[in-house]
């Protein structure tokens, strides 16, 4: 996708956020504004005696709404979409999130494009790779988060960080597939299957207490956000919209685990 396409997608997304209130406001004005009731000379605009300015404006408004709806639908179809892995995308992943010896079939994965809004209200085009079994779940979840303006700072392939989880998390990046084992284990992570997503990772760290009372925190830069009693941006809380949507789609939240806490993590069996 080139920069011009990205600009069109983001522009269409911003139009969609404004369209509902604009249409309600404009339709009301078209009914209530006195000038819309003025008669105009017969046949000046339409070759019938019933022609009038209000009728013309209603027709124009209807045409504008139809065009806007079509433009928004086109932008949304492009902005929220799941595809098989193209050669271009797979080349980015090879040797990184998809290393040599990876046992996951490439055709089991899907490349997703989604829109998201950051804490400052800026719209971004995001991308992630997941297992095909949760592709529709994620499209629906991220679409609803976007429509509700739930803030997500960054959604990029972990390959942009050379599949370095610490670097990706420290940059508050949201990601899904990465062929790797569970931290401190030889068992494959749900991320290796493309069945887990980490959201707003810097502000929702992985925390595991050691026997000596100290804690392992990942990313290390996320230590200021271990205290979940504090309020800060991008924080995931039990019961918030992000939590509810993932739970409704059958995911489990790492923030509910007892042996450790992984506040950024949602996975599905």
């Amino acid at each position: 996708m080139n920069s011009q396409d990205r600009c069109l997608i983001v522009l269409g997304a911003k139009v969609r956020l404004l369209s509902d209130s604009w249409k309600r406001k404009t339709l009301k004005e078209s009914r209530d504004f006195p000038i819309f009731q003025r008669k105009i000379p017969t046949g000046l605009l339409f070759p019938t005696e019933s022609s009038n300015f209000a009728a013309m404006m209603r027709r124009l408004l209807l045409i504008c709404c139809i065009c806007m709806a079509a433009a928004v639908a086109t932008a949304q179809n492009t902005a929220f979409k799941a595809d098989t892995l193209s050669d271009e995308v797979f080349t980015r992943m090879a040797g990184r999130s998809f290393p040599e010896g990876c046992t996951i079939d490439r055709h089991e994965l899907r490349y997703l494009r989604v829109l998201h809004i950051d804490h400052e209200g800026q719209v971004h085009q995001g991308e992630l790779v997941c297992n095909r079994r949760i592709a529709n779940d994620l499209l629906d979840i991220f679409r609803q988060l976007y429509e509700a303006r739930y803030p997500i700072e960054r959604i990029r392939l972990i390959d942009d960080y050379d599949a370095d989880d610490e670097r990706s998390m420290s940059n508050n990046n949201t990601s899904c597939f990465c062929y790797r084992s569970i931290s401190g284990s030889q068992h494959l992570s749900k991320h290796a299957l493309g069945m887990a997503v980490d959201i707003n990772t810097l502000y929702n760290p992985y925390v595991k207490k050691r026997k000596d009372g100290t804690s392992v925190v990942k990313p290390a830069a996320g230590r200021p956000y271990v205290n979940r009693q504090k309020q800060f941006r991008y924080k995931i809380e039990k019961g918030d919209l992000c939590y509810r949507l993932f739970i409704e789609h059958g995911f489990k939240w790492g923030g509910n685990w007892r042996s450790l806490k992984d506040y950024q993590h949602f996975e599905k069996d």
Side-chain angles (χ1 to χ4, degrees):
M1 184 186 299
N2 59 37
S3 58
Q4 184 177 12
D5 291 337
R6 290 192 178 93
C7 289
L8 289 173
I9 289 170
V10 173
L11 178 60
K14 290 181 177 179
V15 167
R16 186 177 190 279
L17 290 174
L18 297 172
S19 62
D20 288 343
S21 59
W22 180 86
K23 284 185 287 186
R24 287 195 297 269
K25 183 172 182 286
T26 308
L27 284 169
K28 183 179 186 300
E29 289 176 350
S30 70
R31 291 193 301 267
D32 299 343
F33 202 67
I35 193 172
F36 286 177
Q37 306 304 319
R38 269 178 37 197
K39 294 281 186 177
I40 63 173
T42 301
L44 181 60
L45 297 173
F46 300 97
T48 64
E49 291 187 0
S50 62
S51 296
N52 59 73
F53 187 62
M56 179 197 73
M57 291 303 296
R58 291 190 185 100
R59 288 188 180 94
L60 289 175
L61 181 60
L62 177 60
I63 292 171
C64 289
C65 289
I66 292 172
C67 291
M68 179 179 290
V72 168
T74 300
Q76 290 295 294
N77 287 338
T78 305
F80 291 90
K81 188 176 181 180
D83 288 311
T84 55
L85 301 188
S86 66
D87 290 340
E88 179 183 359
V89 170
F90 189 69
T91 297
R92 292 171 60 189
M93 298 169 59
R96 297 179 178 85
S97 66
F98 200 101
E100 185 177 352
C102 179
T103 59
I104 305 302
D105 191 326
R106 166 182 173 178
H107 301 291
E108 289 295 306
L109 302 175
R110 293 293 181 268
Y111 173 71
L112 271 55
R113 289 190 294 270
V114 299
L115 290 177
H116 62 101
I117 298 177
D118 65 23
H119 191 267
E120 285 69 42
Q122 296 298 309
V123 177
H124 303 277
Q125 179 73 63
E127 57 177 355
L128 65 162
V129 170
C130 70
N131 193 293
R132 63 181 179 81
R133 289 184 288 160
I134 63 170
N136 289 335
D137 289 324
L138 295 187
L139 287 178
D140 187 50
I141 289 169
F142 281 107
R143 186 190 297 272
Q144 291 193 61
L145 290 174
Y146 166 74
E147 290 175 348
R149 303 183 70 84
Y150 185 95
I152 299 177
E153 185 171 19
R154 192 171 286 106
I155 308 178
R156 295 166 56 184
L157 298 190
I158 198 169
D159 307 281
D160 291 350
Y161 303 89
D162 292 322
D164 185 323
D165 202 32
E166 183 73 13
R167 283 179 55 201
S168 176
M169 291 190 295
S170 296
N171 200 35
N172 202 33
N173 184 48
T174 293
S175 66
C176 181
F177 175 77
C178 187
Y179 192 79
R180 59 178 173 81
S181 60
I182 299 171
S183 179
S185 167
Q186 297 299 315
H187 299 290
L188 284 179
S189 163
K190 286 285 187 179
H191 289 285
L193 305 176
M195 296 293 290
V197 186
D198 290 340
I199 307 285
N200 286 332
T201 49
L202 175 62
Y203 298 90
N204 300 282
Y206 166 100
V207 184
K208 184 175 183 179
K209 290 187 177 180
R210 298 188 181 99
K211 292 181 179 179
D212 62 5
T214 61
S215 297
V216 176
V217 178
K218 297 183 179 181
R223 190 170 289 275
Y225 310 107
V226 169
N227 185 348
R228 308 308 285 182
Q229 300 304 312
K230 294 181 179 180
Q231 292 300 316
F232 43 83
R233 61 182 183 172
Y234 297 119
K235 178 184 176 184
I236 297 172
E237 296 184 270
K238 187 172 183 176
D240 76 3
L241 180 62
C242 184
Y243 172 89
R244 294 198 310 272
L245 288 175
F246 274 100
I247 297 301
E248 287 169 8
H249 283 78
F251 286 77
K252 298 173 184 176
W253 183 43
N256 284 333
W257 295 343
R258 293 185 178 181
S259 60
L260 58 86
K261 298 295 183 182
D262 199 351
Y263 296 108
Q264 63 194 249
H265 184 90
F266 292 93
E267 66 174 49
K268 191 170 185 178
D269 295 328

